[in-house]
Every structure is written in structure tokens, then in C-alpha cells.
Amino acid sequence: MKRIVLQLLIVLSASLALAQPAEDAKAVAAVRAVLAKVEKAIRAGDVKTLQACYKTNAQGARALAIMTPVTKQIVDYIEAMDAAYGKGSAKMFLVGDNPKTWLDNLSKAKIEIDGDTATVTILDKQEAKTLVREKGTWKMADPLVLSPAKVDVDKMEREFSAMGVAIQSVKGRIGKPGETVKTIETRLLARNELELQAAPKAAANKQAQPAPAPTVPLTKPRLPKPGEVTERATTTPGLKPVYTGPIGAIQRSIDATRAGDVEELLACHKTNEAGKRILKAYAPMMKVMAEVDDKLVASYGKDAPKLFNGGFPGQMERNLGKATAVIKGDKATVTIPGEDDPTELVRENGKWLIVDEAFSDENGEGDMMIRVVPRITEALKKQLPLIGQPGVSAQAAKRMIEAAAMSAIGMDM
């Protein structure tokens, strides 16, 4: 896990230098017409028109039907907040960035044409969308609705349903005596959480759970020296491997990272209070990095993350099957192929814990890291949908991700 932190700036070290193709005036006009339809359909909650503007499958059309009316609710909520408390007063949108700002600036977007692919840049490069031309017709090509899996759309339906109920519950209170921006947004967030928690357990567990993988025995590649025990992880074809001992502790940490389970992540590390603060700040970013890693592999193949010279949890996970642990009493060193440094662990109360000086704030840079990491996290989230888009190669995705993240920490490239 240390490598995730120590290699962060290396991951973000290259520059963005995408080619700027010449604009085709006729194509630009056609793309603007599609954008105008999209804006009008969202503001009106017009599902059918919006579906016609997107390249998608049946599940994607369902996703648009779920999102469109709630997005209209969010825009209406923001306008009501603006009217009651001043423009820009609303800060809590439940869906990330302010969708009204995005819509307000859609007509002013910069459009670049490259053959049958159009890149739409909104809000000074903070938002980017892709359209593709098929049989002379331009359509939005958003990964969120391009070809989503049923389980993803089921999850979306639960989340957007909760948002819609939450917005409806507070909208009538906006501008009332005693209500402020803070009280409205507190009510909004609380009701949203309540609705999510109240969702039927059956809906949350629609996806069948696989049978637990059998415990894989560890083999000993060589005879141990006195006072030393070696351990190598092995895998079972067709099943996710189950690791024990120090290697198992690293796997649990990676699983917690992917799940965004901060408490479990903390429980996998031995650190001080300052280190816990840093680890909590890093957890959301590491989760997004795992998502970026997965998207790179799905879009460009298993070697795509190697373009970043390390830093993603998935790269470490893919090599755990070749890892070797050397145990000396209550201390262990795990060597993972592809990682520059071994991972140190200690055993306390029978449990192996990762020891990572990057999460102890020994160098006094904790406060700076805590300030910067959330900005990097948001930058990575915004680039995630662009990975695998038509016309976006693995190298182009690398440049976009690195440039956005470097910009987030004040190092524009």
C-alpha cells in the first residue's frame, strides 16, 4: 500500500498534449444542435427526446429514464435555492457537481471535431463530453449510459429514487422563516441517507453472492533459515484467491480500498493518530484510483495501467499471487513483483497490520496532503468517464488523467 502513496506524484508526472484537429463548421453546427436538444430535454424532464440524443443500449435507455426526471428536480431545487438565498448558495447536489451550471454553459461549449468523434469542453476544461457520428447522425457517447450492466442500473435506480424523495421533502421549506442554506442542506442530506438505508434489503442483494472461495494452502519455495518462515501465495483457477497471514492482510487492505470502507482500511494499518487522519483523507482517492485501474484494464487491456509506472491498487492485487512473505517472529516482510519496496507488517493480538511510514506523518507533510488529496480525487472522478471513449487511446487517457490531477494540485501542465 505504501507504493500507492509514494508513487502518487510519479503517476501524475506527464503532460497533456492532445492534438487539436481542425474544426468542421458543418459538423460543429450539428453537434451544437444535439447539445441544444440535450439541454432542453433535461430542463423539461423529456426522457424520450434525451434517449434519442444518446448512443446506448436497452439498459442505458433505462438509466436515462431514471436520471432525467431527478436531474430536472435537482435543477429546479438549485433555482429555488438561488431565488431564496442568492445565486450559488446551494452547495449540496447529491450528484457531484452542480448540474445547472453545466447546463447553463452547454451552449458556450468548445467543440473539436476529429473525424466522426467530437469532444465538447465545458467550463474551461473542467467538463468534457464525447459525441460520435454514425450514419451521419451525431449522438452523445457517455460511458454512464453507453452500455451499463443491469446491476449498475439497479443501483442507480435506488440512488436516484432516494435523491428524488429527499429533494421533494425539502423543496417546500426553501425560503421559509428560520430556514437557511445550512438547515436545508442538512435536511436534504439526512433524508437522502434515510431513504438509502430504508431501501429493501432484497433490492440491495439482487446480485447473487458467489460461494466463498476455499482457503488456498501456502507453499514453501525454500527451506527457512533459523528463526525465519517463508510464505508464498498461490491461486486457484477460476476463483478469487484467498490469502492468509501477512499477504492476506494486504489483500484485506486492497478490498477495503475498493469498497471505500475507511474503518476496515484503518484496521489493516498500524499507525498513529496523525497517520489515521492522512489515511482517512487518502481512502476516497485510493478507491477512485482502483476504479480508474479497472476502467483502464477493461478498455485497453491488462497492461494499460503500466503506463502510469505504478500507483494503482489493482496492479498490486494482480501480483499478489506471486508475492512472498518472510516472517520473523511478529514481524513480516512481503515482496510483491512490480513494487519498488517490500511491505512491512507487524503482528498484534494475532492480527497482521501494515506498517507504512507514509501514514505516520513523520515528515510533517500531513496537513498539506490532506488539503491536496480531495482535489486530486475529484479530478480523477471527472476523467474516469472519458477512459475508453471512442477516439480516446490509452496514451490519451493517461495524458488527460495526469494533466487533470496535476492541475488539481496547482501544477498546470
Side-chain angles (χ1 to χ4, degrees):
M1 193 60 67
K2 180 194 307 180
R3 182 174 174 80
I4 295 174
V5 178
L6 300 182
Q7 290 293 326
L8 178 61
L9 292 181
I10 296 177
V11 171
L12 309 174
S13 62
S15 62
L16 179 64
L18 297 177
Q20 301 294 324
E23 292 189 355
D24 178 324
K26 185 176 180 180
V28 168
V31 169
R32 288 204 183 280
V34 174
L35 296 178
K37 280 187 179 181
V38 168
E39 178 185 355
K40 185 177 180 180
I42 292 176
R43 292 186 186 278
D46 184 346
V47 174
K48 289 186 178 180
T49 298
L50 196 63
Q51 288 172 332
C53 293
Y54 278 79
K55 174 181 172 64
T56 188
N57 61 3
Q59 286 297 331
R62 179 186 162 212
L64 286 168
I66 292 167
M67 291 188 293
T68 304
V70 180
T71 303
K72 180 184 184 304
Q73 279 186 281
I74 294 171
V75 173
D76 292 344
Y77 157 79
I78 293 169
E79 290 177 345
M81 291 288 281
D82 286 349
Y85 305 112
K87 188 173 177 59
S89 58
K91 303 298 181 185
M92 179 66 65
F93 315 118
L94 301 178
V95 291
D97 291 334
N98 184 334
K100 183 177 182 300
T101 300
W102 186 85
L103 288 175
D104 289 345
N105 287 276
L106 196 57
S107 62
K108 297 176 279 188
K110 177 182 177 182
I111 299 173
E112 296 169 299
I113 306 295
D114 185 4
D116 289 325
T117 301
T119 301
V120 177
T121 306
I122 308 163
L123 297 178
D124 192 23
K125 299 185 179 180
Q126 294 304 305
E127 295 278 357
K129 298 292 180 184
T130 299
L131 290 87
V132 293
R133 179 167 49 189
E134 295 181 350
K135 297 180 180 180
T137 301
W138 287 98
K139 292 199 172 187
M140 302 285 289
D142 189 329
L144 189 64
V145 296
L146 196 58
S147 56
K150 182 178 184 299
V151 65
D152 295 328
V153 181
D154 288 345
K155 179 183 178 184
M156 179 188 296
E157 186 169 30
R158 293 193 298 273
E159 292 177 346
F160 271 76
S161 176
M163 289 183 209
V165 173
I167 291 169
Q168 189 63 32
S169 72
V170 303
K171 192 175 177 186
R173 293 179 174 271
I174 296 174
K176 297 293 185 182
E179 296 287 1
T180 65
V181 172
K182 184 175 181 180
T183 63
I184 291 294
E185 295 193 334
T186 298
R187 292 179 189 278
L188 179 68
L189 185 59
R191 183 58 183 268
N192 186 66
E193 289 299 320
L194 182 65
E195 291 298 320
L196 288 173
Q197 292 173 14
K201 291 183 179 180
N205 295 315
K206 278 185 178 179
Q207 189 176 15
Q209 297 298 315
T215 301
V216 181
L218 298 169
T219 60
K220 294 183 178 181
R222 61 178 173 81
L223 291 176
K225 297 178 181 178
E228 176 182 275
V229 179
T230 61
E231 180 183 56
R232 181 186 296 275
T234 58
T235 61
T236 299
L239 294 174
K240 180 178 179 179
V242 174
Y243 303 101
T244 60
I247 296 174
I250 295 173
Q251 180 65 67
R252 286 194 300 274
S253 177
I254 294 173
D255 289 345
T257 295
R258 287 189 175 281
D261 189 338
V262 178
E263 292 305 315
E264 174 65 11
L265 192 61
L266 289 170
C268 292
H269 285 75
K270 178 178 175 59
T271 185
N272 55 21
E273 289 303 315
K276 289 178 181 178
R277 289 176 57 238
I278 297 172
L279 191 54
K280 285 181 179 179
Y282 263 91
M285 183 192 72
M286 292 191 292
K287 182 178 187 298
V288 175
M289 291 175 73
E291 293 170 359
V292 169
D293 181 277
D294 291 342
K295 191 73 175 290
L296 288 168
V297 171
S299 300
Y300 310 114
K302 63 183 178 63
D303 291 332
K306 294 179 182 179
L307 291 171
F308 291 85
N309 192 31
F312 291 112
Q315 290 175 261
M316 179 184 288
E317 185 174 33
R318 284 188 288 276
N319 288 319
L320 275 185
K322 302 174 185 177
T324 300
V326 177
I327 303 171
K328 296 182 179 180
D330 287 329
K331 294 184 177 181
T333 301
V334 176
T335 302
I336 305 172
E339 301 297 309
D340 288 342
D341 301 307
T343 301
E344 305 295 334
L345 300 96
V346 296
R347 181 163 45 194
E348 293 185 353
N349 300 318
K351 183 177 181 180
W352 287 103
L353 303 175
I354 298 169
V355 180
D356 194 334
E357 66 270 18
F359 294 130
S360 64
D361 201 21
E362 290 182 357
N363 57 13
E365 296 179 354
D367 289 340
M368 180 274 290
M369 295 161 69
I370 290 170
R371 288 195 303 272
V372 167
V373 166
R375 299 203 297 268
I376 298 174
T377 303
E378 290 306 309
L380 292 176
K381 284 182 180 178
K382 290 179 179 178
Q383 297 304 310
L384 185 60
L386 303 180
I387 300 172
Q389 284 280 342
V392 178
S393 66
Q395 287 285 354
K398 164 185 163 67
R399 291 193 293 267
M400 289 189 297
I401 291 167
E402 290 172 341
M406 293 299 283
S407 178
I409 59 176
M411 299 176 65
D412 292 323
M413 306 168 70

